[in-house]
Structure formats: structure tokens, C-alpha cells
Amino acid sequence: MTRISDDTIEEIRSGTDIVDLISEYVQLAKRGKNWFGLCPFHEEGSPSFSVSEDKQLFHCFGCGASGNAITFMMDMENRSFIDSIVKLGSRMGLELESSQTDNQASKSSSNQKMLKAYTLAANFYSHLLLNTIEGEKALEYLEKRGFTRDEIEQYEIGWSPIQSDALSALLKRQGFDMKEMETAGLCFHKEDGSGYFDRFRGRIMFPIQDDNGATIAFSGRRLEDSSSDAKYINSPETPVFEKSKVLFNFHRARLNVRKTGKVVLFEGFMDTIAADRGGIGNTVAVMGTALSAHHIVKLKRMAKKIVICCDGDSAGWGAARRFADQLMDSGMDVLIATLPDKMDPDDYISQHGSEVFSEKVLDQALSYISFVAAYYRRDKNLSVDHDIKQYVHEVFDELAHRCSPIEKDLLIQQLHNETHASKESLGQEFTKSIAKKAKQSRDTSPDEGRTVQVTRAPVNRAETDRAEQLLLAHLLMDADLFEEKRLELQDLFVRDDIIKIFFKLAAFYEQYDLPNYQRFAETLEDRQLKKVVMEAILTERSQEHITQEVNDCIRHLKKNQIKRLIDQKRHESKEAEKRNDLLKAMELASEVIQLVRSLKVL
């Protein structure tokens, strides 16, 4: 990996004027001391995107996007931190020096050659499809499928000739190392050692691109459906292509996803192309049947809301279920769109059009709870008592511990409508499932006897939010203050996101002695945490009475902590009375009195 010194990063950060940079992407107008324009990360009619020339930060009051010049480049062009630094450095005419080991440099050079070879191959295949007699049948096939020439060029679709060594011979003539080309997955070495032959022959070629649009692999589709060969042949995993890190169409979709606030996830790249051709520009696809941790991180960076749309057959339902479980666990808002008659999205769009697909499939996507119910209902006959019992048991076993009170009522109403079982009996079964899950949790927990933790529900949410945000702002600006108050504060914060930021800031200050909130924000991969940091930085805070303001915030958080503890002790005292454990109840009541007294002296 390229290593750029911290001094160089700071030089680029301080030398880049954020107003000039963002003006290259957004039309800005000055209002007061700040600049405003339409946010590039979501759709809006009136400008809510603010750029502070003084603080060198941007913030959108509509969608919450915020950051500095480097994070803007990362989000706007979906670049890595290093790539963003390199591009901003080039704007300043700065030649960056990178320190690499010999092994890293060799690997980087080899990867660059592979990428050049893939670009050459993509251009070669595209030329054969569009400009030669050999590509005519494939071109006719694509045109019958509704592809225009412009679309073929847009997706860089090509044709690999039947000749066994057409690409291999071209690569050799261009001076590529053929062993590297075999490693890149473009050719095979002949068994007799006489040379190389192409991996892809006689196929329509669909390039697979990385996050920046560079071709890193291919998927080749056979032309004749009657062939006994596999319908699709894909590039193997290589040093430049790892399926677990690639989302097809990511580079095209990212801005549309940010603007709509929603990403559509398919399990096939042809589904994505079909949707994209129809004007649905916020879709991506996995390269295979697995959704990896890398995929989830990318999806969460793009949007909070996701619509999963897999094939309508049994395998597609299974894939949708796996994807939904993983994405729910990651904290995303998940909807699942289902297709009729075992169709796949590509076929549905071909038959009904993209508008109908949007209206009838994507816009009618199911909530996670409704989808899980539909998943278990597929193979059940709800006129048979045994199937009804099994259906209810499976749904409650899966969902009871996930439901909020409102979702519980909706789920019971849905099952009542479907099975005609009474709401009372369904409610009892739901309660049994909750108890069963709780028992399983206790049986497997190593801390079964531990004391109940204080709830994080604050007494005064708005006032506590303000105190936490203001205190965080001071900590971001003052490393000495952070070190002085670190032990005192580590148990006082209420919000989970600020707690995470607090501990990440502690690790940051261990590495960097001086406060640098912009560099700290750049280290955060989670967009929500980055947003909270930038909102804190933009908070108006006292410059003359810093100590008093910090102490006021801490005093409020301590009071809030004591009030929550009082509520907990009172609850425990009442529970002890119900168990006729009067000694414990009196002990807890005494603790409440002491806490109330301590509250008065704060």
C-alpha cells in the first residue's frame, strides 16, 4: 500500500481550498459568511448544502452529509483515502513520494500491468463486436434483446473470437508477460508447453469494473442457448479481482444511490444492466451468491436503506433471506422485493418494462418481518391444521425477539388474517416464543447472574444531546482536555454513536499528540460517526469560558446518570417487594435516598 507522510497529508489538506474544490462539482452562491448550493448527495429543490470557507468544512442540513476536502473527494468519487490525497495533490501540482517495500512495489507494478491488459482486452472485444463481420451474430443477438449501440458502448460489451489464441497473441505482441496474463485469468498455458490459449472464446463479453470504473474481470455469455457449455464463464479471482470486494455497477450507481438515499441489490449483474438501461440508476449486484463484510461496508457507506431483489425461484428466496439477515444485523433499513412465477429481474423487466418493475416490484417491497412470514408460508397449505401450527411456530421462533410492540401487533394481525387463528392464541404463542428465546439466552450467557445494567434512556433527551455534542466538540479541539477528563467521562456519555467516537478518539490521541479533528474524521469509515463528528465541530461553543462550559456539560451528564440510576433502583425495589424480599427493598430504597441527596449537591 502507498504510504504518504502525515506532513504531506496536512500540506494537501491545508493547501486545498474547499470552496474551489466543491465548486468544480456544485454551483455555489455566497450567503453571509458561508456558501450554499444543491447537495450532490441527495435530491433537493432548495439549497441546504453549506460550505464554510472559514472552517474548510461542508455540511448538508438536509441529508446530514458533512466533512472536509478529503472526505468530499472520497464520497463524491468513491475514492479511498490515499487515492483522494493523490488526486488533491495533483490539483496542487504536488508530486507525491510514496514509500514502498520492494515486494509492495513489485506487486503494485504487476497489478498495474494486469489492469492495462484488461483495458486492452476490453477494447479488443468491443472492437470485434461493433466493427467486424465476426461480431455480427453477437451484435444481432444483443439488438434483439433491446440493446442500442449506445448502450453496448456504455457498458463496454464485446465479443471474444472463436480463434483459440486471438487475445493471447495480441497480448504477447504488446509485450505482456504471459505468465502474468495467466495469473490475471486471461489465458491458459498449453499442456504441451507450446504457448497460450484464451480463456474466453466465442462469447459475448461483459466487463466487470472496480469502484473507479477500471475493468478487472469479465463474464462471458455463450451465444447459442442450445450449447452444452456453461451459460456464463467468469474470470477467476486474481490479484486485481476479488468477488468479495466487488459490487457490479458500483461506480455508476453511487451518485444516484446517494441522491435517492436507497440502493437496490441484485444477485446477478444482468439484472443490474437491465434496470440501469431502464432508468433505474441506483442498482448494484454481487459477483456470486455471497454477500461479504466488504460488500456490507460499501453499501452502508452509500445509503442507509436497501431493497433486496433476488430471483423468484427457491434459490433466489434463499439468497434474499441470507442477504436480509446479514444486512439487518449490520443496522441497515432492509426491504425485500419479491418476483412472481420464479422470474428473475432481467426477465421481468424484459417482459413488463422498467416502470412496471419499479411500481409493482420495488415500490411494493416487503418489510423484513413480512418477508420472513412470506418465506415460511411458501410451502405451506394454510387450510391444513398441521401446516398452520408449523407456520406460526417458524415465524414466531424467527421473529418474536426482533419485533417492536407495533410490529408484534401487525404480525399477529397478519397471521390472524392468514390462518384465522384467534389473536389471543397467537398472542400466547408469541409470548411463549419470547420466553423460550430468553431462556436460551440465559442458558448460553456466561454472565447470567450479573447486575442489570443502567438503561441508556436519558431523562431529557434534547438537553442531554446538546451537552454531549458540545462536550465532544471541545474534546475534538483539545487533546489535553481529553486526557484530563478521560477517566471521568468514559461512563457518562449516553448516545451509542458518541460512545464509539469517544473510544476511537482515545485511540487517535494515542497515535497523534496534537488534536486534528479533520484527520480524525478521515479515519472513520462509518458515515454516521463521521457525520456526528462534523456536526459537533460546527457547534457554536464558547471561546472565552471553555472551562465553565465543559464543567456545565459534565455536571449535566452526571445528573442524568444519577437520575437514570435512581429510576433503576426504584424499579428494582418494587420488584423486590413483589417477591416479598423486604430487606432488599429497604436496602434499595436507602440507596435511592442517598442518590437523591447526591443529586442536590451537584
Side-chain angles (χ1 to χ4, degrees):
M1 177 182 291
T2 300
R3 167 71 178 155
I4 301 175
S5 71
D6 291 334
D7 289 342
T8 301
I9 292 172
E10 186 56 41
E11 180 184 355
I12 291 171
R13 184 189 294 112
S14 59
T16 300
D17 184 84
I18 196 168
V19 176
D20 288 343
L21 173 67
I22 293 180
S23 293
E24 296 175 11
Y25 301 85
V26 178
Q27 187 173 347
L28 298 175
K30 194 164 188 179
R31 292 208 314 252
K33 63 178 182 178
N34 291 338
W35 297 76
F36 285 85
L38 295 175
C39 180
F41 302 123
H42 81 288
E43 293 180 345
E44 60 178 2
S46 56
S48 63
F49 184 79
S50 170
V51 183
S52 169
E53 194 169 6
D54 178 37
K55 296 179 178 178
Q56 288 293 297
L57 299 173
F58 71 88
H59 179 73
C60 177
F61 296 95
C63 70
S66 55
N68 60 13
I70 297 173
T71 58
F72 179 84
M73 183 61 65
M74 291 170 68
D75 290 342
M76 192 67 192
E77 296 195 1
N78 195 46
R79 292 176 177 269
S80 68
F81 177 77
I82 293 297
D83 285 344
S84 299
I85 291 291
V86 170
K87 177 157 185 180
L88 291 176
S90 68
R91 288 177 78 254
M92 298 168 56
L94 189 63
E95 290 294 328
L96 296 181
E97 293 184 4
S98 61
S99 58
Q100 297 177 318
T101 65
D102 291 341
N103 184 52
Q104 288 173 327
S106 176
K107 182 178 178 182
S108 176
S109 175
S110 176
N111 289 357
Q112 288 301 316
K113 289 175 183 175
M114 290 182 188
L115 291 174
K116 287 181 180 179
Y118 267 102
T119 299
L120 176 65
N123 292 335
F124 176 59
Y125 293 147
S126 176
H127 170 75
L128 291 176
L129 175 68
L130 294 172
N131 302 303
T132 69
I133 295 175
E134 186 169 1
E136 283 183 352
K137 284 185 68 175
L139 186 59
E140 289 174 5
Y141 170 84
L142 289 168
E143 289 172 342
K144 286 180 182 177
R145 290 291 304 266
F147 281 88
T148 65
R149 189 180 182 94
D150 286 343
E151 288 172 340
I152 291 170
E153 291 178 353
Q154 177 186 349
Y155 300 109
E156 301 177 43
I157 304 170
W159 169 253
S160 57
I162 296 173
Q163 180 185 339
S164 65
D165 64 348
L167 178 63
S168 298
L170 175 62
L171 292 169
K172 188 174 181 179
R173 287 197 303 272
Q174 293 295 321
F176 286 93
D177 183 321
M178 296 309 293
K179 286 186 178 179
E180 280 189 347
M181 297 302 97
E182 185 176 19
T183 302
L186 290 170
C187 60
F188 296 104
H189 192 247
K190 293 180 180 179
E191 290 184 2
D192 62 7
S194 62
Y196 292 84
F197 63 97
D198 299 349
R199 174 180 292 273
F200 299 100
R201 302 179 303 280
R203 288 180 175 268
I204 297 173
M205 302 298 290
F206 294 92
I208 298 164
Q209 285 111 357
D210 65 11
D211 294 352
N212 295 314
T215 299
I216 55 175
F218 290 105
S219 184
R221 189 196 189 283
R222 72 182 181 214
L223 185 57
E224 302 294 337
D225 288 337
S226 60
S227 171
S228 59
D229 293 337
K231 186 175 182 179
Y232 286 96
I233 294 178
N234 298 325
S235 294
E237 292 211 341
T238 69
V240 296
F241 173 54
E242 295 179 60
K243 288 189 290 186
S244 65
K245 295 182 179 180
V246 175
L247 287 170
F248 184 84
N249 202 50
F250 187 87
H251 65 293
R252 295 189 190 94
R254 61 178 183 264
L255 284 183
N256 283 318
V257 168
R258 294 258 168 78
K259 288 182 177 180
T260 60
K262 177 172 65 178
V263 59
V264 179
L265 176 67
F266 293 121
E267 60 174 330
F269 74 90
M270 287 301 299
D271 301 326
T272 296
I273 290 177
D276 199 58
R277 287 171 58 208
I280 306 172
N282 59 334
T283 72
V284 297
V286 292
M287 297 306 303
T289 58
L291 186 67
S292 71
H294 287 286
H295 292 145
I296 293 172
V297 168
K298 284 186 179 183
L299 292 167
K300 287 184 71 175
R301 284 177 179 171
M302 289 174 40
K304 183 173 176 56
K305 188 173 184 179
I306 186 165
V307 180
I308 299 165
C309 186
C310 295
D311 295 352
D313 58 10
S314 180
W317 277 80
R321 173 71 191 283
R322 292 194 305 275
F323 293 173
D325 287 344
Q326 290 175 264
L327 292 164
M328 282 289 293
D329 290 342
S330 77
M332 293 191 76
D333 294 336
V334 179
L335 295 172
I336 302 93
T338 59
L339 287 159
D341 305 322
K342 299 183 178 180
M343 299 180 76
D344 62 41
D346 184 13
D347 290 338
Y348 189 99
I349 293 171
S350 296
Q351 290 187 27
H352 303 287
S354 58
E355 289 187 11
V356 174
F357 177 72
S358 290
E359 294 172 5
K360 301 293 186 183
V361 178
L362 297 183
D363 292 346
Q364 296 185 26
L366 303 174
S367 68
Y368 176 79
I369 286 175
S370 294
F371 169 75
V372 171
Y375 178 86
Y376 285 115
R377 190 173 60 243
R378 288 176 303 139
D379 57 353
K380 304 291 192 301
N381 182 349
L382 297 186
S383 63
V384 176
D385 288 347
H386 175 269
D387 280 12
I388 291 175
K389 290 179 182 177
Q390 187 178 4
Y391 173 51
V392 171
H393 171 76
E394 289 173 344
V395 170
F396 282 165
D397 187 60
E398 183 71 29
L399 295 176
H401 64 295
R402 288 182 179 264
C403 285
S404 67
I406 292 176
E407 289 171 329
K408 169 194 169 183
D409 289 346
L410 292 173
L411 180 60
I412 287 176
Q413 179 67 51
Q414 178 181 334
L415 295 184
H416 167 68
N417 293 339
E418 292 172 345
T419 67
H420 304 296
S422 70
K423 293 182 182 178
E424 291 75 16
S425 64
L426 291 170
Q428 291 172 3
E429 286 297 319
F430 187 93
T431 302
K432 288 180 183 178
S433 295
I434 290 286
K436 179 182 175 183
K437 286 288 184 183
K439 183 177 184 304
Q440 290 174 347
S441 178
R442 288 196 302 270
D443 290 344
T444 57
S445 173
D447 303 318
E448 183 178 346
R450 72 184 186 276
T451 303
V452 177
Q453 295 297 309
V454 179
T455 175
R456 290 203 176 275
V459 175
N460 188 326
R461 178 76 269 175
E463 193 175 342
T464 301
D465 275 349
R466 168 67 180 168
E468 288 189 306
Q469 186 179 59
L470 190 54
L471 188 54
L472 177 61
H474 284 293
L475 297 176
L476 288 163
M477 301 299 293
D478 191 338
D480 291 335
L481 175 67
F482 183 93
E483 191 59 35
E484 177 189 341
K485 302 292 186 181
R486 180 173 179 173
L487 293 177
E488 186 178 5
L489 292 173
Q490 62 184 13
D491 294 322
L492 284 183
F493 288 112
V494 177
R495 280 172 47 182
D496 287 337
D497 50 7
I498 291 188
I499 292 169
K500 291 178 183 177
I501 291 168
F502 179 84
F503 287 106
K504 287 180 180 293
L505 188 58
F508 179 82
Y509 281 144
E510 287 178 5
Q511 183 176 358
Y512 300 94
D513 294 332
L514 297 176
N516 189 327
Y517 62 83
Q518 297 207 19
R519 181 71 187 95
F520 174 64
E522 292 157 6
T523 67
L524 300 175
E525 292 188 357
D526 189 306
R527 292 181 67 204
Q528 178 60 27
L529 297 187
K530 192 181 299 182
K531 172 186 171 185
V532 173
V533 167
M534 287 304 172
E535 286 176 347
I537 291 300
L538 293 168
T539 301
E540 292 295 328
R541 57 192 179 279
S542 173
Q543 301 297 326
E544 299 175 355
H545 307 289
I546 293 175
T547 301
Q548 181 181 339
E549 191 168 71
V550 168
N551 289 337
D552 286 345
C553 290
I554 293 175
R555 187 179 302 110
H556 173 84
L557 294 179
K558 285 183 175 179
K559 284 184 176 181
N560 185 61
Q561 184 186 56
I562 293 172
K563 288 176 182 178
R564 287 184 285 122
L565 194 55
I566 288 170
D567 289 342
Q568 178 187 310
K569 297 289 184 183
R570 283 174 173 164
H571 174 74
E572 290 175 356
S573 180
K574 289 179 181 178
E575 291 298 312
E577 287 178 9
K578 291 178 182 178
R579 299 192 305 270
N580 287 322
D581 188 351
L582 299 182
L583 185 61
K584 183 66 174 177
M586 290 176 63
E587 180 184 324
L588 288 165
S590 177
E591 290 180 16
V592 168
I593 291 171
Q594 294 299 321
L595 288 168
V596 171
R597 287 175 180 170
S598 69
L599 193 61
K600 291 179 180 179
V601 299
L602 270 179

